């Protein structure tokens, strides 16, 4: 997977599959957990989000896979999948970049934070295409390798949604 570029068609297919799996997961969520689910959604890109992506690209060089992702996805909110996963919008990524800058990762070009989990850990994409996860809920601590590529990260999210969905079925 490393070295391969993320393809927009693959991201579109992932969005459709994730949306279907989330719909099914949410059908029985309240019955299984005793409380209503949060807003779990894969939000597709719009003209406004494309403009925000263009502004981000003008602000700082970003990995091409991140640009591809933002041309398909505006943001992803999965508060009820494991402890939660959130792919930030390009406008939020730009805002965070202005405030905190890129994160330094040994042996990598500085990486751009684009996502977080419910525990506050951050996910950053480096120029190599590798995805890194902070070891603490901080922009300034160590980051460890989380996935060989953005596609691998999305495949892992799909598995988490599916396993949670199937573990809730009787």
């Amino acid at each position: 997977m490393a070295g391969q570029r993320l393809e927009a068609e693959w991201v579109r297919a992932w969005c459709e599959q994730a949306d279907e799996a989330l719909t099914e997961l949410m059908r029985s969520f309240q019955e299984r957990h005793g409380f209503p689910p949060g807003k779990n959604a894969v939000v597709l890109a719009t003209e406004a989000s494309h403009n925000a992506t263009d502004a981000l690209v003008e602000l700082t060089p970003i990995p091409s896979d991140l640009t591809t992702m933002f041309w398909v996805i505006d943001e992803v909110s999965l508060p009820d999948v494991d402890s939660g996963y959130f792919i930030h919008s390009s406008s939020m990524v730009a805002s965070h970049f202005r405030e905190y800058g890129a994160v330094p990762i040994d042996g990598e070009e500085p990486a751009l934070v684009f996502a977080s989990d419910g525990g506050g850990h951050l996910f950053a994409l480096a120029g190599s295409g590798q995805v890194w996860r902070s070891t603490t809920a901080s922009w300034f601590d160590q980051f460890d390798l989380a996935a060989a590529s953005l596609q691998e990260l999305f495949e892992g999210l799909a598995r988490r949604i599916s396993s949670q969905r199937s573990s809730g079925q009787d």
Side-chain angles (χ1 to χ4, degrees):
M1 201 83 44
Q4 292 181 339
R5 295 284 180 213
L6 187 66
E7 295 182 15
E9 286 304 314
W10 185 92
V11 177
R12 283 185 195 92
W14 181 89
C15 290
E16 291 174 16
Q17 293 168 354
D19 193 49
E20 289 172 15
L22 285 170
T23 298
E24 191 172 317
L25 175 62
M26 294 304 112
R27 277 192 195 120
S28 61
F29 187 91
Q30 186 164 349
E31 180 182 319
R32 287 185 290 127
H33 296 283
F35 58 90
K39 184 176 178 356
N40 293 269
V42 175
V43 181
L44 297 177
T46 63
E47 184 176 341
S49 66
H50 287 169
N51 292 337
T53 299
D54 288 342
L56 177 61
V57 169
E58 288 179 22
L59 179 65
T60 184
I62 70 172
S64 64
D65 286 354
L66 207 52
T67 305
T68 300
M69 181 195 77
F70 281 136
W71 277 99
V72 178
I73 296 173
D74 180 27
E75 63 185 313
V76 176
S77 178
L78 304 173
D80 298 311
V81 175
D82 293 340
S83 65
Y85 293 95
F86 307 92
I87 306 294
H88 305 161
S89 68
S90 56
S91 60
M92 181 182 280
V93 171
S95 176
H96 287 159
F97 177 79
R98 283 186 201 95
E99 187 169 348
Y100 303 108
V103 295
I105 296 174
D106 289 340
E108 285 275 10
E109 298 173 17
L112 197 60
V113 171
F114 70 96
S116 59
D117 67 18
H121 296 97
L122 305 170
F123 292 88
L125 186 66
S128 67
Q130 293 179 312
V131 179
W132 299 82
R133 181 180 179 265
S134 64
T135 57
T136 64
S138 172
W139 289 77
F140 307 106
D141 284 338
Q142 180 178 332
F143 279 72
D144 290 337
L145 187 62
S149 67
L150 200 50
Q151 183 170 331
E152 183 178 290
L153 181 76
F154 276 99
E155 289 169 346
L157 286 175
R159 285 191 300 275
R160 285 179 172 88
I161 295 167
S162 293
S163 68
Q164 190 166 333
R165 185 183 75 202
S166 57
S167 69
Q169 295 175 345
D170 295 330

